[in-house]
Every structure is written in C-alpha cells, then in structure tokens.
C-alpha cells in the first residue's frame, strides 16, 4: 500500500482559502479527497485519475480545485470561498488499481491518509 500524508489544514474565517496537500510515497493511479464532519458520514469531495479526469461533489463545484504534481507524487486541493459547513476532517485516498477511474466512491480506494482538520468560522 502507498503511504499518504496530508497537510495544510487549519482554522480560517468564512470566505478565506486553504490549500491541502497529500504526499504519496509512490505513484498512484487515482487519488481523491474525502471529508467527514462530526456526526456525519464521510463523503467524497473531489477526485482525479491518471488521465486527468476530475470529479467534484456538487457542494464544492466552483469553489474547490483538485490538482496533482506527478513529479512529486503530491495531490492538492485548493479551497476557496470556504463556508462554515466545510468544517471537517479532510482525508486523502489513493488507488493502486491500474484500471481505476476518477471516482467519489470510498470503495474505489485502498489507501487512506490520517486526515487534516479544516475549521471554518463565520
């Protein structure tokens, strides 16, 4: 399994921005960001496959942008116009399955990071 380490979380005011990073220990075919707020189930935020195909959850479209630096094996999530409802633990996920495609389904990923906390206050 690939090791994933997230960073970049923090506490911000509504309307501000954060950029999350996820460093992978090796190349991955598909990667994604998920989040889990207290008392809620984990949900998909954004994903990208090796072809550059991306997916976004409706609640972040137009505000968040996913990108990847393949030379550094690092996934990013640029989060703009943050809202209090974006407060959650954000997790990076990866798939080493060569046939994987961009997906917001948790079962499509077999490696997970420890998470980075994002807190947005109003």
């Amino acid at each position: 399994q690939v090791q994933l380490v997230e960073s970049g979380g923090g506490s911000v005011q509504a309307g501000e921005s954060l950029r999350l990073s996820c460093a992978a220990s090796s190349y991955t075919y598909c990667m994604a960001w998920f989040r889990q707020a207290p008392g809620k189930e984990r949900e998909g935020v954004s994903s990208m496959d090796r072809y550059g195909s991306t997916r976004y959850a409706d609640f972040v479209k137009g505000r968040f942008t996913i990108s990847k630096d393949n030379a550094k094996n690092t996934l990013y999530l640029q989060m703009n116009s943050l809202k209090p409802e974006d407060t959650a633990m954000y997790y990076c996920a990866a798939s080493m399955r060569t046939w994987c495609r961009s997906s917001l389904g948790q079962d499509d990923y077999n490696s997970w990071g420890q998470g980075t906390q994002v807190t947005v206050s109003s």
Side-chain angles (χ1 to χ4, degrees):
Q1 280 191 337
V2 62
Q3 304 300 312
L4 304 172
V5 179
E6 302 100 329
S7 61
S11 296
V12 297
Q13 298 287 321
E16 294 183 341
S17 300
L18 281 173
R19 189 176 81 152
L20 305 183
S21 299
C22 173
S25 58
S26 64
Y27 179 79
T28 58
Y29 293 101
C30 294
M31 297 187 78
W33 290 99
F34 289 81
R35 71 184 188 185
Q36 186 168 22
K40 295 187 177 181
E41 293 187 354
R42 188 159 57 184
E43 58 186 358
V45 176
S46 185
S47 65
M48 176 180 279
D49 64 23
R50 60 176 168 168
Y51 303 106
S53 178
T54 59
R55 289 181 181 269
Y56 293 93
D58 287 342
F59 52 78
V60 302
K61 283 182 179 177
R63 299 189 299 125
F64 292 9
T65 303
I66 193 170
S67 61
K68 189 182 180 192
D69 186 334
N70 286 318
K72 297 181 178 179
N73 290 329
T74 301
L75 183 74
Y76 302 98
L77 185 67
Q78 178 66 45
M79 305 187 295
N80 299 329
S81 303
L82 283 162
K83 304 176 181 180
E85 51 264 44
D86 294 319
T87 295
M89 184 72 78
Y90 283 70
Y91 297 92
C92 176
S95 174
M96 300 301 290
R97 301 171 182 135
T98 57
W99 61 89
C100 71
R101 292 293 183 268
S102 188
S103 167
L104 297 181
Q106 297 182 53
D107 292 342
D108 292 326
Y109 300 92
N110 49 11
S111 293
W112 293 83
Q114 294 300 306
T116 184
Q117 178 67 38
V118 172
T119 302
V120 185
S121 57
S122 57

